[in-house]
Amino acid sequence: LVLSIDLSVQAIIEKVLAGGITIMNARGGSAILMDVHNGQLLSLASLPDFDPNDRPDLPVQGDGLFNAEVSLVEPTLVGWAPLMRR
């Protein structure tokens, strides 16, 4: 496993993303920059930043920590996975 993130590109992407969020008056955003020739990820950015140490006591639905799309679909996919391997 080789890390392909380019720190100088990462810094630029984070600044551009922050500017885009400000211009669009968005709550947040994310950006991925990939080299199409070899598939290397050059930059991954998500704003606002996530600090896993700064969280509420109990996550509840609707607070941004509950992803309904994944949380509701994943059990279904897990249930179908053994049937799909044939």
Side-chain angles (χ1 to χ4, degrees):
L1 183 63
V2 177
L3 181 63
S4 60
I5 300 289
D6 184 325
L7 292 179
S8 58
V9 173
Q10 178 73 24
I12 293 168
I13 292 294
E14 288 178 359
K15 287 181 184 177
V16 170
L17 181 59
I21 290 171
T22 302
I23 289 170
M24 299 303 294
N25 196 25
R27 291 183 1 191
S30 59
I32 300 171
L33 181 64
M34 183 175 79
D35 185 335
V36 296
H37 300 291
N38 57 22
Q40 287 183 330
L41 294 176
L42 303 175
S43 174
L44 295 168
S46 178
L47 294 174
D49 291 333
F50 174 74
D51 181 359
N53 295 315
D54 183 23
R55 56 193 157 114
D57 292 332
L58 295 172
V60 293
Q61 187 171 357
D63 70 351
L65 296 176
F66 180 83
N67 187 337
E69 292 79 14
V70 174
S71 298
L72 298 176
V73 172
E74 185 176 349
T76 304
L77 293 176
V78 170
W80 279 97
L83 301 174
M84 297 172 69
R85 292 186 181 164
R86 293 185 196 174

XYZ file of all heavy atoms in Angstrom:
640
model
N 0.851 -1.175 0.000
C 0.000 0.000 0.000
C 0.892 1.232 0.000
O 1.774 1.370 0.846
C -0.902 -0.015 1.238
C -1.905 1.108 1.362
C -2.901 1.064 0.218
C -2.617 1.005 2.683
N 0.681 2.115 -0.958
C 1.489 3.322 -1.088
C 0.569 4.532 -1.036
O -0.431 4.590 -1.757
C 2.269 3.311 -2.424
C 3.044 4.595 -2.594
C 3.182 2.117 -2.502
N 0.898 5.480 -0.199
C 0.119 6.715 -0.092
C 0.438 7.612 -1.283
O 1.603 7.896 -1.554
C 0.453 7.440 1.210
C -0.312 8.738 1.470
C -1.803 8.453 1.596
C 0.203 9.406 2.722
N -0.597 8.037 -1.998
C -0.380 8.859 -3.185
C -0.873 10.289 -3.018
O -0.862 11.054 -3.972
C -1.064 8.207 -4.396
O -2.454 8.082 -4.161
N -1.307 10.675 -1.817
C -1.783 12.040 -1.576
C -0.615 13.008 -1.736
O 0.449 12.814 -1.165
C -2.385 12.174 -0.162
C -3.571 11.225 0.021
C -2.782 13.618 0.150
C -4.806 11.595 -0.739
N -0.836 14.034 -2.529
C 0.168 15.077 -2.743
C -0.184 16.238 -1.807
O -1.229 16.868 -1.953
C 0.128 15.527 -4.202
C 1.187 16.532 -4.558
O 1.525 17.378 -3.698
O 1.675 16.496 -5.699
N 0.659 16.519 -0.832
C 0.339 17.524 0.195
C 0.140 18.923 -0.374
O -0.720 19.671 0.100
C 1.430 17.536 1.270
C 1.503 16.275 2.128
C 2.636 16.387 3.143
C 0.193 16.024 2.831
N 0.902 19.303 -1.392
C 0.721 20.642 -1.968
C -0.615 20.729 -2.711
O -1.331 21.735 -2.623
C 1.882 20.999 -2.886
O 2.012 20.060 -3.927
N -0.978 19.671 -3.426
C -2.277 19.639 -4.107
C -3.398 19.596 -3.079
O -4.424 20.263 -3.240
C -2.355 18.421 -5.062
C -3.742 18.266 -5.641
C -1.327 18.544 -6.169
N -3.204 18.840 -2.000
C -4.201 18.746 -0.935
C -4.506 20.128 -0.351
O -5.663 20.485 -0.155
C -3.706 17.795 0.164
C -4.628 17.649 1.344
C -5.872 16.836 1.051
O -5.886 16.019 0.139
N -6.908 17.043 1.829
N -3.473 20.916 -0.087
C -3.669 22.252 0.478
C -4.452 23.146 -0.482
O -5.351 23.894 -0.062
C -2.320 22.877 0.812
N -4.137 23.061 -1.762
C -4.841 23.878 -2.764
C -6.303 23.457 -2.859
O -7.206 24.304 -2.888
C -4.144 23.772 -4.135
C -2.763 24.418 -4.067
C -4.991 24.397 -5.227
C -1.882 24.125 -5.261
N -6.556 22.148 -2.898
C -7.928 21.643 -2.993
C -8.756 22.090 -1.791
O -9.912 22.488 -1.928
C -7.941 20.106 -3.130
C -7.360 19.679 -4.476
C -9.331 19.524 -2.931
C -8.168 20.094 -5.678
N -8.169 22.046 -0.591
C -8.901 22.473 0.605
C -9.252 23.953 0.541
O -10.351 24.355 0.916
C -8.089 22.157 1.857
C -8.047 20.682 2.172
C -7.194 20.347 3.383
O -6.610 21.264 3.991
O -7.129 19.150 3.726
N -8.327 24.799 0.034
C -8.614 26.233 -0.098
C -9.696 26.485 -1.132
O -10.607 27.287 -0.916
C -7.343 26.993 -0.474
C -6.352 27.126 0.651
C -5.131 27.901 0.224
C -4.107 27.944 1.354
N -2.877 28.639 0.958
N -9.617 25.793 -2.279
C -10.629 25.963 -3.325
C -11.986 25.482 -2.834
O -13.013 26.123 -3.071
C -10.199 25.227 -4.615
C -11.320 25.184 -5.625
C -8.959 25.868 -5.214
N -12.007 24.360 -2.135
C -13.259 23.831 -1.595
C -13.874 24.795 -0.590
O -15.083 25.058 -0.625
C -13.020 22.464 -0.955
C -14.237 21.770 -0.355
C -15.309 21.536 -1.412
C -13.825 20.459 0.290
N -13.055 25.343 0.297
C -13.558 26.310 1.282
C -14.138 27.537 0.576
O -15.202 28.038 0.963
C -12.442 26.721 2.240
N -13.477 28.001 -0.474
C -13.995 29.139 -1.243
C -15.307 28.818 -1.923
O -16.236 29.630 -1.943
N -15.415 27.616 -2.483
C -16.658 27.201 -3.138
C -17.805 27.087 -2.157
O -18.935 27.455 -2.462
N -17.521 26.583 -0.970
C -18.557 26.479 0.058
C -19.050 27.862 0.451
O -20.250 28.084 0.608
C -18.015 25.704 1.281
C -17.826 24.233 0.921
C -18.936 25.847 2.484
C -17.091 23.429 1.972
N -18.120 28.803 0.580
C -18.488 30.175 0.924
C -19.323 30.810 -0.177
O -20.374 31.419 0.087
C -17.226 31.017 1.184
O -16.482 30.414 2.236
C -17.591 32.442 1.565
N -18.888 30.683 -1.417
C -19.605 31.279 -2.558
C -21.015 30.710 -2.687
O -21.971 31.441 -2.927
C -18.817 31.054 -3.861
C -17.552 31.910 -3.870
C -19.673 31.367 -5.085
C -16.602 31.586 -5.001
N -21.149 29.392 -2.508
C -22.448 28.740 -2.675
C -23.292 28.761 -1.405
O -24.416 28.273 -1.410
C -22.247 27.289 -3.130
C -21.540 27.152 -4.462
S -22.360 28.019 -5.808
C -23.866 27.099 -5.935
N -22.725 29.325 -0.324
C -23.420 29.383 0.959
C -23.879 27.983 1.381
O -25.003 27.787 1.834
C -24.592 30.365 0.908
C -25.077 30.740 2.282
O -24.335 30.677 3.250
N -26.337 31.117 2.376
N -22.969 27.005 1.201
C -23.284 25.608 1.517
C -22.884 25.285 2.953
O -22.047 25.967 3.538
C -22.547 24.687 0.552
N -23.475 24.236 3.493
C -23.114 23.786 4.843
C -21.806 23.025 4.847
O -21.140 22.923 5.871
C -24.212 22.891 5.401
C -25.475 23.635 5.696
C -26.543 22.793 6.316
N -26.176 21.408 6.542
C -27.003 20.445 6.872
N -28.277 20.716 7.009
N -26.602 19.215 7.065
N -21.425 22.464 3.712
C -20.190 21.697 3.617
C -19.995 21.186 2.210
O -20.802 21.452 1.319
N -18.908 20.481 2.011
C -18.632 19.932 0.688
C -17.485 18.951 0.751
O -16.810 18.813 1.769
N -17.272 18.264 -0.348
C -16.153 17.333 -0.432
C -15.592 17.349 -1.842
O -16.292 17.699 -2.800
C -16.588 15.919 -0.044
O -17.623 15.478 -0.885
N -14.321 16.990 -1.953
C -13.644 16.963 -3.248
C -12.682 15.780 -3.293
O -12.046 15.454 -2.295
C -12.880 18.264 -3.470
N -12.615 15.163 -4.445
C -11.694 14.067 -4.684
C -10.963 14.376 -5.985
O -11.600 14.692 -6.994
C -12.429 12.722 -4.816
C -13.195 12.413 -3.544
C -11.465 11.611 -5.173
C -14.114 11.217 -3.663
N -9.645 14.271 -5.971
C -8.849 14.471 -7.173
C -8.082 13.180 -7.436
O -7.291 12.738 -6.606
C -7.880 15.642 -7.008
C -7.015 15.953 -8.221
C -7.884 16.387 -9.398
C -6.008 17.032 -7.888
N -8.360 12.577 -8.605
C -7.747 11.301 -8.946
C -7.025 11.415 -10.280
O -7.524 12.052 -11.214
C -8.821 10.217 -9.040
C -8.283 8.849 -9.327
S -9.547 7.561 -9.286
C -10.316 7.795 -10.872
N -5.862 10.815 -10.378
C -5.129 10.738 -11.638
C -5.816 9.681 -12.497
O -5.847 8.502 -12.143
C -3.672 10.351 -11.369
C -2.812 10.377 -12.617
O -3.363 10.228 -13.734
O -1.592 10.543 -12.478
N -6.379 10.097 -13.637
C -7.156 9.178 -14.466
C -6.285 8.155 -15.175
O -6.789 7.136 -15.655
C -8.014 9.935 -15.505
C -9.053 10.797 -14.815
C -7.155 10.753 -16.435
N -4.990 8.398 -15.255
C -4.107 7.464 -15.953
C -3.746 6.252 -15.112
O -3.551 5.159 -15.644
C -2.837 8.188 -16.406
C -3.127 9.321 -17.340
N -3.594 9.127 -18.623
C -3.043 10.653 -17.175
C -3.785 10.291 -19.209
N -3.456 11.241 -18.344
N -3.624 6.433 -13.791
C -3.212 5.302 -12.960
C -4.124 5.068 -11.746
O -3.900 4.151 -10.976
C -1.765 5.473 -12.487
C -1.549 6.757 -11.736
O -2.482 7.353 -11.210
N -0.300 7.184 -11.673
N -5.141 5.897 -11.554
C -6.095 5.706 -10.467
C -5.628 6.182 -9.108
O -6.316 5.968 -8.121
N -4.461 6.817 -9.033
C -3.972 7.303 -7.745
C -4.834 8.456 -7.252
O -5.208 9.334 -8.024
C -2.532 7.782 -7.852
C -1.522 6.684 -8.000
C -0.107 7.234 -8.023
O 0.136 8.351 -8.456
N 0.828 6.430 -7.549
N -5.122 8.449 -5.955
C -5.828 9.559 -5.335
C -4.802 10.602 -4.929
O -3.911 10.324 -4.134
C -6.614 9.078 -4.115
C -7.753 8.121 -4.422
C -8.396 7.648 -3.143
C -8.769 8.761 -5.331
N -4.935 11.794 -5.493
C -3.998 12.871 -5.206
C -4.477 13.754 -4.076
O -3.685 14.398 -3.402
C -3.756 13.703 -6.466
C -3.234 12.921 -7.673
C -3.144 13.823 -8.886
C -1.896 12.284 -7.361
N -5.803 13.822 -3.894
C -6.350 14.670 -2.840
C -7.737 14.173 -2.441
O -8.533 13.794 -3.296
C -6.436 16.115 -3.334
O -7.087 16.923 -2.395
N -7.993 14.198 -1.143
C -9.314 13.925 -0.585
C -9.591 15.021 0.428
O -8.814 15.200 1.362
C -9.351 12.573 0.126
C -9.147 11.335 -0.710
C -8.932 10.131 0.198
C -10.335 11.099 -1.599
N -10.670 15.767 0.244
C -10.975 16.854 1.167
C -12.457 16.847 1.498
O -13.290 16.567 0.636
C -10.579 18.195 0.558
N -12.758 17.167 2.745
C -14.136 17.264 3.200
C -14.205 18.387 4.227
O -13.424 18.407 5.177
C -14.579 15.940 3.808
O -15.897 16.038 4.285
N -15.120 19.298 4.019
C -15.295 20.416 4.941
C -16.757 20.529 5.323
O -17.620 20.301 4.481
C -14.830 21.729 4.302
C -13.344 21.836 4.001
C -13.060 23.121 3.233
C -12.517 21.787 5.261
N -17.117 20.862 6.526
C -16.210 21.179 7.615
C -15.469 19.928 8.069
O -15.932 18.801 7.871
C -17.115 21.704 8.719
C -18.458 21.141 8.431
C -18.520 20.951 6.943
N -14.317 20.146 8.661
C -13.498 19.038 9.134
C -14.256 18.240 10.183
O -15.101 18.765 10.908
C -12.190 19.545 9.750
C -11.265 20.123 8.705
O -11.358 19.699 7.542
O -10.452 20.993 9.049
N -13.938 16.974 10.276
C -14.569 16.083 11.243
C -13.571 15.743 12.333
O -12.464 15.291 12.056
C -15.054 14.801 10.560
C -15.595 13.785 11.518
C -16.830 13.963 12.104
C -14.873 12.661 11.846
C -17.336 13.033 12.997
C -15.363 11.719 12.731
C -16.602 11.905 13.306
N -13.950 15.971 13.565
C -13.116 15.611 14.704
C -13.836 14.496 15.459
O -14.874 14.731 16.093
C -12.904 16.816 15.615
C -12.016 16.516 16.813
O -11.561 15.351 16.955
O -11.772 17.433 17.613
N -13.325 13.261 15.404
C -14.017 12.164 16.071
C -14.081 12.315 17.588
O -14.880 11.647 18.235
C -13.193 10.925 15.679
C -11.866 11.451 15.295
C -12.094 12.843 14.763
N -13.269 13.183 18.149
C -13.297 13.401 19.595
C -14.356 14.420 20.014
O -14.650 14.566 21.188
C -11.927 13.873 20.081
C -10.878 12.816 19.883
O -11.104 11.655 20.183
N -9.743 13.218 19.345
N -14.931 15.139 19.054
C -15.938 16.160 19.334
C -17.290 15.644 18.843
O -17.677 15.868 17.715
C -15.573 17.460 18.624
C -16.547 18.569 18.930
O -17.220 18.524 19.965
O -16.629 19.503 18.104
N -18.000 14.923 19.706
C -19.270 14.339 19.307
C -20.274 14.432 20.445
O -19.905 14.524 21.607
C -19.086 12.895 18.880
C -18.443 12.024 19.911
C -18.021 10.698 19.287
N -16.966 10.133 20.080
C -17.086 9.017 20.776
N -18.212 8.349 20.758
N -16.095 8.572 21.492
N -21.548 14.378 20.114
C -22.568 14.432 21.160
C -22.564 13.132 21.969
O -21.989 12.121 21.561
C -23.869 14.590 20.380
C -23.577 14.066 19.024
C -22.120 14.330 18.779
N -23.238 13.165 23.104
C -23.290 11.985 23.968
C -23.949 10.798 23.277
O -23.409 9.714 23.249
C -24.025 12.303 25.268
C -23.232 13.284 26.125
O -21.997 13.295 26.018
O -23.865 14.019 26.884
N -25.136 11.005 22.724
C -25.853 9.932 22.054
C -26.266 10.395 20.664
O -27.039 11.345 20.538
C -27.106 9.541 22.843
C -26.868 8.926 24.213
C -28.189 8.769 24.953
C -26.180 7.583 24.068
N -25.754 9.761 19.605
C -26.206 10.153 18.269
C -27.670 9.785 18.077
O -28.095 8.703 18.462
C -25.301 9.360 17.331
C -24.664 8.312 18.161
C -24.765 8.722 19.594
N -28.413 10.705 17.510
C -29.822 10.468 17.232
C -30.090 10.765 15.772
O -29.365 11.515 15.130
C -30.749 11.340 18.123
C -30.639 10.924 19.574
C -30.423 12.803 17.966
N -31.138 10.183 15.243
C -31.481 10.393 13.846
C -31.748 11.880 13.598
O -32.441 12.532 14.360
C -32.704 9.576 13.474
C -33.015 9.610 12.000
C -34.106 8.629 11.629
O -34.597 7.887 12.454
N -34.481 8.636 10.388
N -31.154 12.417 12.523
C -31.369 13.800 12.148
C -30.305 14.757 12.651
O -30.355 15.932 12.368
N -29.298 14.270 13.396
C -28.270 15.177 13.910
C -27.037 15.223 13.017
O -26.053 15.836 13.354
C -27.869 14.799 15.339
C -27.077 13.503 15.417
O -26.981 12.813 14.385
O -26.574 13.189 16.495
N -27.070 14.557 11.866
C -25.935 14.568 10.970
C -25.004 13.386 11.170
O -24.140 13.141 10.355
N -25.154 12.634 12.256
C -24.315 11.466 12.480
C -25.003 10.187 12.017
O -24.393 9.137 11.957
C -23.960 11.338 13.967
C -23.131 12.465 14.549
C -22.938 12.252 16.047
C -21.783 12.546 13.861
N -26.266 10.264 11.715
C -27.042 9.111 11.286
C -27.237 9.209 9.785
O -27.867 10.131 9.292
C -28.399 9.100 11.997
C -29.265 7.937 11.609
C -29.089 6.709 12.218
C -30.236 8.068 10.650
C -29.886 5.631 11.876
C -31.032 7.005 10.297
C -30.863 5.784 10.903
N -26.645 8.296 9.018
C -26.790 8.295 7.575
C -27.882 7.292 7.214
O -27.637 6.089 7.150
C -25.456 7.928 6.921
C -25.491 8.077 5.427
O -26.552 8.042 4.821
N -24.334 8.246 4.824
N -29.083 7.794 6.978
C -30.233 6.923 6.744
C -30.047 6.050 5.513
O -30.439 4.888 5.514
C -31.490 7.774 6.593
N -29.431 6.581 4.454
C -29.270 5.814 3.228
C -28.428 4.567 3.480
O -28.772 3.473 3.085
C -28.629 6.660 2.127
C -29.511 7.776 1.621
C -29.530 8.989 2.541
O -28.662 9.077 3.428
O -30.410 9.834 2.378
N -27.311 4.727 4.138
C -26.421 3.595 4.394
C -26.969 2.720 5.507
O -26.950 1.495 5.410
C -25.001 4.089 4.748
C -24.113 2.934 5.149
C -24.407 4.851 3.574
N -27.469 3.324 6.559
C -27.928 2.561 7.713
C -29.118 1.678 7.377
O -29.275 0.607 7.950
C -28.305 3.512 8.848
O -27.177 4.236 9.249
N -29.959 2.107 6.454
C -31.130 1.318 6.113
C -30.852 0.315 5.005
O -31.474 -0.736 4.945
C -32.279 2.245 5.698
C -32.765 3.201 6.783
C -33.836 4.126 6.234
C -33.275 2.454 7.985
N -29.912 0.612 4.118
C -29.619 -0.262 2.991
C -28.650 -1.368 3.381
O -28.772 -2.498 2.941
C -29.052 0.558 1.811
C -28.548 -0.348 0.708
C -30.113 1.499 1.278
N -27.686 -1.069 4.233
C -26.643 -2.045 4.576
C -27.200 -3.366 5.109
O -26.783 -4.425 4.649
C -25.653 -1.440 5.553
C -24.490 -2.338 5.848
C -23.474 -1.680 6.758
O -23.554 -0.475 6.990
O -22.614 -2.410 7.248
N -28.140 -3.359 6.064
C -28.661 -4.654 6.526
C -29.312 -5.455 5.404
O -29.194 -6.674 5.358
C -29.682 -4.275 7.596
C -29.270 -2.926 8.047
C -28.665 -2.258 6.844
N -29.951 -4.766 4.465
C -30.568 -5.452 3.327
C -29.501 -6.098 2.467
O -29.627 -7.243 2.047
C -31.399 -4.450 2.498
O -32.348 -3.834 3.359
C -32.109 -5.153 1.365
N -28.414 -5.362 2.191
C -27.338 -5.904 1.367
C -26.648 -7.071 2.051
O -26.303 -8.057 1.413
C -26.314 -4.810 1.040
C -26.813 -3.685 0.140
C -25.732 -2.629 -0.019
C -27.252 -4.211 -1.203
N -26.468 -6.970 3.353
C -25.840 -8.062 4.088
C -26.715 -9.307 4.018
O -26.232 -10.423 3.860
C -25.578 -7.647 5.557
C -25.165 -8.843 6.387
C -24.516 -6.569 5.602
N -28.012 -9.115 4.078
C -28.933 -10.248 3.999
C -28.935 -10.909 2.633
O -29.081 -12.116 2.510
N -28.744 -10.128 1.575
C -28.755 -10.665 0.215
C -27.387 -11.185 -0.217
O -27.282 -11.945 -1.164
C -29.195 -9.588 -0.764
C -30.671 -9.441 -0.807
C -31.421 -8.540 -0.134
C -31.591 -10.224 -1.558
N -32.753 -8.697 -0.399
C -32.885 -9.740 -1.298
C -31.457 -11.296 -2.445
C -34.016 -10.288 -1.872
C -32.595 -11.825 -3.019
C -33.857 -11.335 -2.731
N -26.310 -10.769 0.434
C -24.952 -11.115 -0.004
C -24.735 -12.613 -0.186
O -24.190 -13.031 -1.215
C -23.926 -10.524 0.940
N -25.152 -13.469 0.767
C -24.915 -14.913 0.562
C -25.635 -15.458 -0.675
O -25.137 -16.363 -1.329
C -25.479 -15.548 1.828
C -25.482 -14.467 2.851
C -25.716 -13.194 2.079
N -26.766 -14.890 -1.010
C -27.524 -15.364 -2.176
C -26.903 -14.900 -3.478
O -27.076 -15.536 -4.510
C -28.975 -14.882 -2.081
C -29.748 -15.321 -0.832
C -31.107 -14.658 -0.801
C -29.879 -16.836 -0.812
N -26.191 -13.776 -3.460
C -25.635 -13.192 -4.677
C -24.294 -13.815 -5.057
O -23.809 -13.595 -6.146
C -25.487 -11.686 -4.508
C -26.824 -10.993 -4.303
S -26.660 -9.272 -3.864
C -26.045 -8.588 -5.376
N -23.676 -14.587 -4.196
C -22.354 -15.151 -4.470
C -22.376 -16.399 -5.332
O -21.365 -16.948 -5.649
C -21.649 -15.452 -3.145
C -21.292 -14.209 -2.399
C -20.488 -14.528 -1.197
N -20.184 -13.282 -0.487
C -19.762 -13.225 0.734
N -19.570 -14.328 1.411
N -19.519 -12.084 1.307
N -23.504 -16.852 -5.700
C -23.600 -18.094 -6.491
C -23.159 -17.882 -7.902
O -23.243 -16.965 -8.543
C -25.028 -18.606 -6.489
C -25.445 -19.051 -5.125
C -26.786 -19.640 -5.204
N -27.325 -19.701 -3.849
C -28.540 -20.068 -3.575
N -29.361 -20.395 -4.552
N -28.963 -20.113 -2.370
